[in-house]
Coordinates of all heavy atoms in Angstrom, one line a residue:
D64 N 64.0 -18.9 96.9 CA 64.6 -17.9 97.9 C 64.7 -16.6 97.1 O 65.3 -16.6 96.0 CB 65.9 -18.4 98.4 CG 66.4 -17.5 99.6 OD1 65.6 -16.9 100.2 OD2 67.6 -17.6 99.9
G87 N 56.5 -27.9 95.2 CA 57.1 -28.2 96.5 C 58.1 -27.1 96.9 O 59.0 -26.7 96.1
N142 N 48.9 -37.7 93.1 CA 48.6 -38.1 91.7 C 49.4 -37.3 90.6 O 48.9 -36.9 89.6 CB 47.1 -37.8 91.4 CG 46.2 -38.7 92.3 OD1 46.4 -39.9 92.4 ND2 45.2 -38.1 92.9
T198 N 84.0 0.7 100.8 CA 85.4 1.0 100.4 C 85.7 2.3 99.8 O 86.8 2.9 100.0 CB 85.9 -0.1 99.4 OG1 85.0 -0.1 98.3 CG2 85.8 -1.5 100.0
G227 N 81.7 -11.8 91.6 CA 80.8 -13.0 91.6 C 79.5 -12.6 91.0 O 78.7 -13.5 90.7
I272 N 50.1 -6.8 100.3 CA 49.4 -5.5 100.1 C 48.6 -5.5 98.8 O 47.6 -5.0 98.7 CB 50.4 -4.3 100.2 CG1 49.6 -3.0 100.4 CG2 51.2 -4.2 98.9 CD1 49.0 -2.9 101.8
E308 N 62.7 -6.2 85.0 CA 62.7 -7.4 85.9 C 61.6 -7.2 87.0 O 60.9 -8.2 87.3 CB 64.1 -7.4 86.6 CG 65.2 -7.8 85.7 CD 66.6 -7.7 86.4 OE1 66.8 -6.8 87.1 OE2 67.4 -8.7 86.2

Side-chain angles (χ1 to χ4, degrees):
D64 192 20
N142 295 316
T198 57
I272 199 67
E308 291 175 316

